[in-house]
């Protein structure tokens, strides 16, 4: 964040993460540790294979492009473009810049790439499975103190930008067409449930952050109760914003599908 109050609040959330129980810390470390260069390459390969199995090399390019471009933008911003201004007095791990989150970018770009390449009838199932994982990664980065909440939000924005660019490219090529089939009621129920859950987490996070702030809490002063509340708020907001970002992209593809076999090869 770019204000003293914002940085103090995020630092308080990082201090509060120290109070997470051992099971939460272990799960967070395991999930984040599973994201490696190898696992990313495997995910990109699977995305490409789905596109190729549908006999659409452009879908494969778009899906892999979302993942690769997401990392290029994220690492460039983090390492060269967006240094973290020193607005509050901190030392150690709190000083380094980690915006945007590379792990969250990976999770979200894989989710978006999967939604782009799978057939329409599998999009709802794909969203449910990948969103569960992506939301977990976004929240785990806060639990493990690898990233601040703003890092997660920045990564969500980068991933959404890349997915929208890929969608625009496919639309320009005429690959995206209206879906003319029947309404899938299960997908409507899924959308409502996920939307309610996302709004609930956002409301909870906002409450946990706003109430102490309105009471004039000084987040620059370490306090176990205040810090833990700040951590719980950051955790809830990370879940909520990640889910909302994914649902936004899903909504953009409402009743749209991608052509299957390339007519030039049939």
């Amino acid at each position: 964040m770019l204000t003293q109050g914002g940085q103090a609040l995020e630092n308080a959330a990082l201090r509060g993460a120290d109070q997470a129980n051992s099971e939460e810390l272990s799960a967070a470390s395991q999930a984040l540790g599973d994201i490696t260069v190898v696992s990313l390459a495997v995910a990109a390969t699977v995305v490409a294979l789905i596109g190729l199995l549908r006999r659409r090399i452009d879908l494969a390019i778009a899906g892999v492009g979302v993942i690769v471009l997401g990392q290029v933008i994220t690492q460039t911003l983090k390492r060269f473009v967006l240094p973290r201004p020193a607005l509050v007095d901190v030392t150690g791990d709190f000083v380094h810049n980690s915006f945007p989150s590379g792990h969250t970018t990976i999770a979200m770009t894989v989710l978006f790439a999967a939604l782009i390449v799978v057939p329409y009838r599998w999009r709802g199932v794909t969203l449910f499975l990948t969103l569960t994982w992506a939301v977990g990664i976004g929240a785990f980065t806060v639990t493990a103190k690898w990233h601040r909440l703003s890092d997660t939000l920045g990564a969500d924005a980068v991933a959404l930008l890349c997915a929208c660019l890929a969608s625009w490219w496919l639309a320009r090529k005429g690959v995206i067409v209206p879906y003319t089939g029947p309404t899938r009621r299960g997908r409507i129920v899924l959308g409502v449930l996920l939307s309610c859950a996302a709004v609930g987490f956002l409301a909870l996070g906002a409450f946990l952050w706003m109430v102490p702030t309105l009471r004039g809490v000084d987040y620059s002063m370490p306090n176990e109760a205040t810090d833990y509340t700040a951590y719980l708020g950051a955790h809830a907001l990370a879940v909520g914003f990640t889910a909302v970002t994914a649902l936004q992209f899903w909504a953009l593809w409402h009743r749209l599908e991608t052509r299957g076999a390339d007519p030039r090869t049939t």
Side-chain angles (χ1 to χ4, degrees):
M1 290 189 178
L2 300 178
T3 65
Q4 289 182 341
Q7 288 194 4
L9 178 54
E10 287 194 319
N11 291 340
L14 292 180
R15 292 194 301 266
D18 290 332
Q19 300 178 51
N21 60 52
S22 58
E23 289 78 12
E24 291 176 323
L25 292 174
S26 177
S29 298
Q30 179 64 45
L32 295 175
D34 287 340
I35 298 180
T36 63
V37 174
V38 174
S39 62
L40 180 60
V42 170
T45 301
V46 171
V47 166
L49 285 175
I50 294 173
L52 294 176
L53 287 173
R54 296 187 63 194
R55 301 171 67 183
R56 300 256 16 160
I57 190 172
D58 41 16
L59 282 181
I61 293 173
V64 174
V66 168
I67 297 173
V68 174
L69 181 60
Q71 281 307 295
V72 171
I73 294 176
T74 292
Q75 298 305 324
T76 300
L77 291 177
K78 182 189 307 184
R79 299 176 186 276
F80 307 110
V81 180
L82 297 176
R84 184 175 178 82
L87 302 179
V88 296
D89 294 330
V90 293
T91 59
D93 293 338
F94 289 5
V95 177
H96 75 281
N97 178 51
S98 54
F99 180 92
S101 164
H103 282 74
T104 303
T105 301
I106 289 173
M108 292 298 286
T109 52
V110 168
L111 183 159
F112 291 147
L115 292 181
I116 288 173
V117 299
V118 298
Y120 181 84
R121 64 180 178 275
W122 291 106
R123 198 177 296 158
V125 175
T126 301
L127 173 72
F128 178 75
L129 295 177
T130 55
L131 180 60
T132 302
W133 170 67
V135 164
I137 293 299
F140 283 151
T141 60
V142 178
T143 300
K145 299 177 64 173
W146 286 24
H147 288 284
R148 307 169 181 88
L149 172 64
S150 57
D151 303 339
T152 299
L153 303 188
D156 290 340
V158 169
L160 183 61
L161 170 65
C162 295
C164 288
L165 288 174
S167 301
W168 172 80
W169 180 67
L170 291 173
R172 293 271 296 181
K173 289 178 61 63
V175 179
I176 301 176
V177 296
Y179 172 72
T180 57
T183 299
R184 296 176 180 267
R185 299 186 185 277
R187 191 168 297 188
I188 296 176
V189 173
L190 175 63
V192 171
L193 291 177
L194 291 177
S195 297
C196 290
V199 171
F201 276 106
L202 289 176
L204 175 60
F207 176 80
L208 291 173
W209 271 20
M210 288 183 64
V211 171
T213 300
L214 293 176
R215 290 179 176 177
V217 169
D218 184 1
Y219 288 107
S220 64
M221 300 299 293
N223 178 283
E224 285 193 2
T226 301
D227 292 347
Y228 191 60
T229 300
Y231 158 69
L232 293 177
H235 193 276
L237 289 171
V239 171
F241 276 112
T242 300
V244 166
T245 303
L247 291 172
Q248 284 179 327
F249 184 70
W250 190 41
L252 291 175
W253 280 74
H254 178 62
R255 296 192 69 82
L256 295 175
E257 64 179 344
T258 49
R259 297 181 186 276
D262 190 328
R264 291 173 299 179
T265 62
T266 57

